[in-house]
């Protein structure tokens, strides 16, 4: 398992702002919704899938280092900035997002793609690979929240209950009461660390609130973290890198451990001094892990 040196680059959430200041996204329509994206480079297509607090702007540093070798595409998922899709469905999950992604790939005529995802973006990438393995060349998965996988062990049950009662359910109540800022405080403090929401700089707070609609759709969904067949995941035969933040919360560590058990041939990397948001909390180490993984693919 790789363990990478820590060289801090950008403070939490600020990197999401810079790229949007210089590059205007393209908008496409798929499955009755709009999706915004940016792209750089040529050759094999590689799609970046952000987490809940991110959007197409979140991957500036990784796009810079990958674009000389790949056609890199960063898009905003259905309910993330600047998409203006109404929240209408009572069921929203990574399965919905995976269907969006499949339609997006077809719309852009990309063929088989490499996927790099974090959090719900990683869950989306994993679902796509299971449903449409012919579309995927490789996967980089940073803590996909397949929470159902860990509910059959005492430790997992406790971690799941803590996540639901201290983060998901209070945030749902706040959203239903119309207090979006309070709802996002539950997510930011619960996943990143107590007090982090109140200490966000203005740019970071703006980014979080711009993407709060995803969390509203997630918490109001009847099944926000659905199960994914372990047997189908076991049958994946593509190169996979599993990334874990050293300081991530317990439930994400347990899910990644189960993912590694299901995929014994997958590579693994621990990102030091980072939690669930490792691409933004330690982008230097995250990028290095992704680059090393992709470089090895080119040598096989």
């Amino acid at each position: 398992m790789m363990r990478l040196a820590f060289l801090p680059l950008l403070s939490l959430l600020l990197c999401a702002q810079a790229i949007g200041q210089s590059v205007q996204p393209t908008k496409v329509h798929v499955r009755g919704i709009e999706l915004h994206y940016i792209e750089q480079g040529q050759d094999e297509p590689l799609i970046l899938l952000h987490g809940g607090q991110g959007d197409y702007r979140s991957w500036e540093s990784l796009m810079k280092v990958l674009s000389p070798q790949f056609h890199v595409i960063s898009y905003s998922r259905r309910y993330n900035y600047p998409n203006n899709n109404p929240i209408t469905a009572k069921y929203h999950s990574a399965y919905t997002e995976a269907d969006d992604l499949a339609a997006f790939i077809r719309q852009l005529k990309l063929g088989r793609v490499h996927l790099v995802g974090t959090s719900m973006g990683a869950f989306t990438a994993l679902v796509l690979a299971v449903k449409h393995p012919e579309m995927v060349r490789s996967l980089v998965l940073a803590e996909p929240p397949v929470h159902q996988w860990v509910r059959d062990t005492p430790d997992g049950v406790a971690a799941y209950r803590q996540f639901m009662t201290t983060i998901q359910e209070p945030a749902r109540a706040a959203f239903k009461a119309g207090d979006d800022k309070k709802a996002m405080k539950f997510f930011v403090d619960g996943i990143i660390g107590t007090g982090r929401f109140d200490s966000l700089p203005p740019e970071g707070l703006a980014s979080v609130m711009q993407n709060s609609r995803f969390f509203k759709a997630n918490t109001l969904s009847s099944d926000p973290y659905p199960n994914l067949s372990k047997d189908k995941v076991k049958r994946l035969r593509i190169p996979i890198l599993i990334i874990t933040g050293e300081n991530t919360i317990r439930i994400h560590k347990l899910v990644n451990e189960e993912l590694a058990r299901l995929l014994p041939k997958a590579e693994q990397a621990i990102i030091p001094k980072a939690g669930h948001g490792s691409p933004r909390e330690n982008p230097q180490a995250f990028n290095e892990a992704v680059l090393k993984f992709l470089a090895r693919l080119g040598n096989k």
Side-chain angles (χ1 to χ4, degrees), residues 124-268:
T124 298
L126 184 57
V127 172
L128 181 76
V130 167
K131 294 183 68 174
H132 301 286
E134 74 283 356
M135 284 187 163
V136 183
R137 293 178 183 270
S138 70
L139 288 173
V140 175
L141 303 172
E143 301 182 22
V146 197
H147 295 334
Q148 301 300 326
W149 281 357
V150 301
R151 296 184 66 189
D152 57 357
T153 66
D155 195 12
V157 168
Y160 179 82
R161 184 182 301 115
Q162 181 180 24
F163 175 84
M164 294 301 290
T165 59
T166 64
I167 301 175
Q168 188 80 9
E169 292 169 1
R172 173 187 172 90
F175 276 127
K176 293 186 74 172
D179 194 341
D180 292 5
K181 186 170 287 189
K182 182 178 180 180
M184 291 310 301
K185 179 178 173 65
F186 281 114
F187 273 107
V188 173
D189 286 1
I191 294 176
I192 302 176
T194 302
R196 296 304 290 270
F197 185 85
D198 290 336
S199 66
L200 287 172
E203 299 89 345
L205 178 61
S207 179
V208 166
M209 297 313 299
Q210 284 173 337
N211 289 301
S212 62
R213 293 179 72 250
F214 161 74
F215 290 95
K216 180 179 290 187
N218 171 270
T219 58
L220 298 180
S221 172
S222 60
D223 191 10
Y225 304 104
N227 198 14
L228 180 61
S229 169
K230 292 183 180 182
D231 288 337
K232 291 181 180 179
V233 171
K234 284 181 181 179
R235 292 200 288 269
L236 290 175
R237 294 294 181 266
I238 55 176
I240 297 173
L241 172 64
I242 301 169
I243 291 180
T244 306
E246 178 185 35
N247 301 322
T248 195
I249 61 176
R250 185 62 177 157
I251 192 167
H252 294 306
K253 287 184 178 180
L254 292 173
V255 171
N256 264 20
E257 288 171 6
E258 181 63 10
L259 183 60
R261 187 189 70 80
L262 296 172
L263 299 167
K265 293 184 179 181
E267 298 183 32
Q268 297 186 60

Side-chain angles (χ1 to χ4, degrees), residues 71-83:
H71 174 198
V72 186
I73 300 164
S74 176
Y75 81 104
S76 292
R77 294 184 292 106
R78 174 181 287 236
Y79 292 126
N80 293 75
Y81 175 88
N83 299 324

